[in-house]
Amino acid sequence: GGETRRRLAKLISRLSREWATPVFPPHVTLIGEIDIPAVEMVAKASELAKDVLPLSIVLGSCDKDQDYYRYLFLKVSPSSGLTDAYQTACRVFNRSRTESYQPHLSLVYGSLGPEVQNRVIKHIGVSQCGLFQASKLHLFKTCGAVADWVRICEISAEGVVLIDCVGSPKVRLEQAGIDLDSITDLILTHFHPDHVSGVPLLLTNMWLGGRKKPLRIYGLHHCLERIEDVMSLYNWDKWPGFFPVAFHRLPDSEFIHVLDKGNVRFFASPMRHLVPTLGLRMENTANGKIAVYSCDTEPCPSIVRLAKGADILIHEAAGAELGHSSASQAGSVAREAEVGKLVLIHYPNQDNDPEKLVKQAKETFQGDVILAEDFMEMNF
């Protein structure tokens, strides 16, 4: 429910500013107070997601309570699907069911008194009715203040698309809260070690984890041929019970449709790098928002065309050298493509003052410029 979620998130944020209450993501809680190791928790959550997602949520009228976490909330219809999901959660996490399960979507956490409750309800209106599909399951560690809550993992009904794979992917994905088995598609931009060196470990960890469902891998022939050669050195065709892997070779042409995942359509265009390389454009068909990833490239007409009108351009800033771009050049691309925001990535990490790259990009681009960071989330 992307549009419904954005509307509710704005409402929660506005009420927080007006009444100095905590900000939190809109959510309907299935089960709480789980006290097991995080790894086991993620595994059980993945099992739960397979059984209950996507889940229809029916929002009702606005109501109030004396409980801090239900100070102001939207009633949620206890539909058969939601009731079944709660019972499944109790089974998966080995919890006793309770007859008092009352699904709701909180709007305000607090204890400001009934007068404020009545004023807020009068202001926003009693009716906030709506129907949306919940396509993601989140696990949060909720110790301490709301601001200190930590998301342990996010599991999507549609699966996860991973772009490139380096280092120790299992460790990094766990840190990002992404379950290995939730990855359904892998897009490889080009055959350089800082973009594909983790693929053998990814496939190995999936296999050792008992994966059965297929994995789809997309890329140019130059890249996929070499990935297959590397895996052949490991004799992966002799690994018993290995899951299916489907290689999808993409033509070296502009605006090639790669795949659709939920509301997002992926397109690819060739960039100008030391080896054949793809840049990616992701279009959200639900709200019209667009994000583009340049990958490694010199400034070239192809990246300008790919990024045209994007809300977010994630562009490399390794430096003005063969096959790469400087922050200033990335700014020029962003300006020419008329994008909304520029996010600099692939910049020299040995630099003690990476913020100067933002200044350099702003010399050629007047929009918002930020530096990408590990585990950064960008919504579009």
Side-chain angles (χ1 to χ4, degrees):
E3 190 56 43
T4 301
R5 183 188 182 281
R6 280 185 287 275
R7 174 174 61 83
L8 292 170
K10 287 182 180 179
L11 177 57
I12 292 170
S13 179
R14 177 166 62 82
L15 292 174
S16 170
R17 292 193 301 271
E18 291 177 1
W19 301 102
T21 53
V23 178
F24 50 88
H27 63 279
V28 176
T29 301
L30 269 183
I31 194 169
E33 299 180 1
I34 304 168
D35 188 17
I36 57 176
V39 174
E40 182 182 353
M41 195 181 303
V42 171
K44 288 182 177 293
S46 298
E47 178 186 347
L48 176 62
K50 292 175 185 177
D51 290 339
V52 305
L53 294 179
L55 183 62
S56 295
I57 302 292
V58 181
L59 298 177
S61 60
C62 189
D63 207 344
K64 57 188 178 181
D65 196 281
Q66 294 182 355
D67 181 83
Y68 179 86
Y69 294 106
R70 289 165 53 90
Y71 177 76
L72 202 69
F73 64 93
L74 297 181
K75 294 179 180 178
V76 173
S77 174
S79 62
S80 58
L82 189 55
T83 301
D84 290 345
Y86 167 68
Q87 293 174 349
T88 302
C90 290
R91 174 182 58 78
V92 169
F93 286 98
N94 196 27
R95 292 283 301 277
S96 299
R97 301 176 191 172
T98 172
E99 298 298 327
S100 62
Y101 176 59
Q102 298 177 341
H104 63 281
L105 192 148
S106 294
L107 296 176
V108 176
Y109 292 163
S111 51
L112 306 176
E115 182 179 344
V116 172
Q117 286 175 320
N118 294 332
R119 286 173 60 186
V120 173
I121 292 175
K122 182 178 180 180
H123 179 63
I124 67 174
V126 173
S127 178
Q128 295 286 330
C129 298
L131 168 67
F132 68 93
Q133 290 284 105
S135 60
K136 294 181 181 180
L137 183 68
H138 298 259
L139 272 180
F140 277 87
K141 182 179 180 181
T142 57
C143 297
V146 175
D148 297 327
W149 288 6
V150 177
R151 190 181 67 184
I152 298 174
C153 76
E154 172 187 305
I155 303 167
S156 172
E158 292 98 5
V160 172
V161 178
L162 182 64
I163 300 173
D164 287 339
C165 181
V166 298
S168 180
K170 185 173 186 295
V171 173
R172 298 295 277 173
L173 288 165
E174 285 179 352
Q175 291 173 330
I178 298 174
D179 180 55
L180 268 184
D181 202 47
S182 69
I183 298 171
T184 55
D185 303 270
L186 171 62
I187 302 175
L188 300 177
T189 58
H190 65 290
F191 193 77
H192 271 170
D194 59 335
H195 288 260
V196 301
S197 64
V199 172
L201 267 179
L202 177 75
L203 297 175
T204 301
N205 288 328
M206 286 177 166
W207 172 58
L208 293 175
R211 185 184 179 103
K212 299 299 180 186
K213 62 185 178 184
L215 175 69
R216 296 174 290 270
I217 303 180
Y218 305 80
L220 295 169
H221 175 74
H222 178 275
C223 180
L224 298 192
E225 180 182 44
R226 286 157 177 76
I227 290 294
E228 289 187 275
D229 289 344
V230 169
M231 293 306 298
S232 294
L233 295 174
Y234 294 111
N235 294 316
W236 72 323
D237 57 325
K238 295 182 172 60
W239 296 0
F242 198 82
F243 57 91
V245 176
F247 288 96
H248 295 262
R249 283 168 165 76
L250 303 174
D252 192 9
S253 304
E254 290 193 34
F255 282 92
I256 294 300
H257 178 233
V258 182
L259 66 104
D260 293 338
K261 182 62 66 174
N263 293 326
V264 181
R265 306 198 77 195
F266 289 76
F267 297 89
S269 289
M271 298 292 101
R272 187 180 294 169
H273 191 43
L274 304 176
V275 298
T277 300
L278 292 174
L280 297 171
R281 180 182 177 99
M282 293 143 281
E283 300 183 354
N284 189 329
T285 59
N287 59 18
K289 301 290 187 179
I290 298 168
V292 171
Y293 171 46
S294 74
C295 196
D296 295 3
T297 187
E298 297 176 12
C300 61
S302 179
I303 180 56
V304 175
R305 288 190 288 266
L306 187 69
K308 195 67 177 177
D311 297 274
I312 301 172
L313 170 60
I314 306 168
H315 199 293
E316 71 125 296
E321 56 191 58
L322 185 63
H324 290 284
S325 302
S326 67
S328 177
Q329 289 172 325
S332 295
V333 170
R335 183 189 69 247
E336 191 173 349
E338 300 179 310
V339 306
K341 174 187 285 189
L342 174 62
V343 182
L344 299 176
I345 198 169
H346 204 322
Y347 49 84
N349 56 16
Q350 69 271 20
D351 197 322
N352 293 325
D353 183 25
E355 286 293 334
K356 69 183 182 184
L357 298 175
V358 173
K359 297 178 183 178
Q360 293 170 9
K362 286 187 174 181
E363 292 173 358
T364 53
F365 175 61
Q366 300 305 309
D368 189 17
V369 182
I370 63 172
L371 293 173
E373 299 177 357
D374 285 353
F375 308 116
M376 175 182 284
E377 293 187 17
M378 285 175 275
N379 297 314
F380 69 98

